[in-house]
Amino acid sequence: MNKIAIVIKVIGVLALIGGIIVGFNLYETPLEGYDYLTEKDYSVLFTWIAYGIIICFIFLGFGEIITLLQKSLNEQERQTKQLYDMHNAMDDDDSLLGKDYFNKAPTE
């Protein structure tokens, strides 16, 4: 697996965890003049959790795109190697239909 894709996915998970932690830290604010009384604002909590989820999905999506592109590149390299090997085999054996399929027109 591509290392960059792994790092991007880890950043996405850390963004989710960070959003949850920040949300829980900020949703409860102390009341002015009181030491132990606090006011809870759940909209702040849900906003930070939503931010974490959105950023997590974005980063996980980018990581998956990189993974799929890497798989596509690996498949293309495999197919290119097979074609190159076929070309070399045909060059070695000129009796294959009397044609060089890669460089010139059919020979008679």
Side-chain angles (χ1 to χ4, degrees):
M1 187 180 230
N2 194 323
K3 292 178 185 177
I4 294 174
I6 294 171
V7 170
I8 289 176
K9 289 179 181 180
V10 167
I11 290 172
V13 172
L14 290 176
L16 175 63
I17 294 169
I20 293 170
I21 290 171
V22 170
F24 276 110
N25 282 336
L26 295 180
Y27 93 102
E28 195 171 9
T29 57
L31 289 175
E32 205 172 302
Y34 296 99
D35 291 333
Y36 300 108
L37 290 178
T38 60
E39 180 180 33
K40 295 179 181 178
D41 187 3
Y42 289 101
S43 66
V44 172
L45 173 67
F46 295 131
T47 301
W48 277 101
I49 290 175
Y51 286 155
I53 290 170
I54 291 168
I55 297 301
C56 178
F57 283 142
I58 289 171
F59 275 87
L60 289 177
F62 283 143
E64 188 63 26
I65 289 170
I66 291 173
T67 301
L68 291 173
L69 286 172
Q70 184 66 47
K71 286 180 182 178
S72 175
L73 177 66
N74 293 343
E75 181 64 22
Q76 287 177 1
E77 288 175 349
R78 185 187 66 79
Q79 290 175 356
T80 301
K81 184 181 180 314
Q82 284 180 341
L83 286 173
Y84 182 74
D85 291 343
M86 287 171 48
H87 180 267
N88 286 339
M90 291 176 75
D91 278 345
D92 293 342
D93 187 6
D94 289 333
S95 67
L96 296 172
L97 301 176
K99 301 176 183 177
D100 183 357
Y101 289 100
F102 293 96
N103 293 324
K104 51 188 168 184
T107 56
E108 310 262 343

